[in-house]
Amino acid sequence: MKIYVTSVFVDDQEQALRFYTDVLGFVKKHDVPLGTARWLTVVSPEDPDGTELLLEPSGHPAVQPYKTALVEDGIPAASFAVDDVRAEFDRLRGLGVRFTQEPLEMGTVTTAVLDDTCGNLIQIVHSE
């Protein structure tokens, strides 16, 4: 068994697609119209057949309180592996990305947390 799709709830799918592709560097995998929403997934360009991230609409009534609570408590909705947290932090900050946690070393793990502009905190992480 392996993870096929995981999701983050987003306030605006088109804005999320731009952020996750143009800023974070993922590539669009699926874009299927489903009424007013879309089955919209992105993948890593390094693993185009790997785990897909579904940019899922935040329409369900339970989603907004959930997202708000996570952000208020500083809890990331997802975590993405990078080769160098500090270099990625500098690159993304140069593109105007807002971070809620600058790079933090914890033993063999380095993390940073960013705002995805769609209502979520996202962690980037490197483990040695």
Side-chain angles (χ1 to χ4, degrees):
M1 187 178 304
K2 63 181 181 177
I3 298 170
Y4 166 61
V5 175
T6 190
S7 63
V8 291
F9 291 107
V10 297
D11 300 332
D12 179 306
Q13 284 186 299
E14 193 58 39
Q15 176 183 337
L17 180 61
R18 282 191 305 271
F19 183 81
Y20 281 81
T21 57
D22 296 347
V23 177
L24 295 186
F26 292 103
V27 294
K28 181 170 59 173
K29 174 97 179 206
H30 295 288
D31 189 352
V32 180
L34 298 171
T36 60
R38 298 145 66 183
W39 179 262
L40 182 60
T41 66
V42 296
V43 293
S44 168
E46 298 169 15
D47 191 11
D49 295 320
T51 304
E52 296 176 43
L53 179 65
L54 173 62
L55 304 176
E56 189 161 356
S58 295
H60 189 281
V63 171
Q64 201 54 53
Y66 167 75
K67 285 174 54 174
T68 299
L70 289 180
V71 170
E72 286 177 355
D73 289 346
I75 299 172
S79 183
F80 303 143
V82 298
D83 291 332
D84 184 332
V85 171
R86 291 192 184 283
E88 195 65 12
F89 170 82
D90 290 340
R91 181 186 79 80
L92 293 172
R93 194 167 60 175
L95 293 172
V97 174
R98 186 179 75 83
F99 280 80
T100 61
Q101 177 203 302
E102 294 196 6
L104 177 64
E105 292 182 23
M106 298 169 284
T108 59
V109 175
T110 303
T111 65
V113 178
L114 61 95
D115 178 338
D116 78 349
T117 73
C118 304
N120 302 291
L121 299 179
I122 302 295
Q123 180 180 69
I124 56 173
V125 62
H126 175 77
S127 179
E128 302 206 19

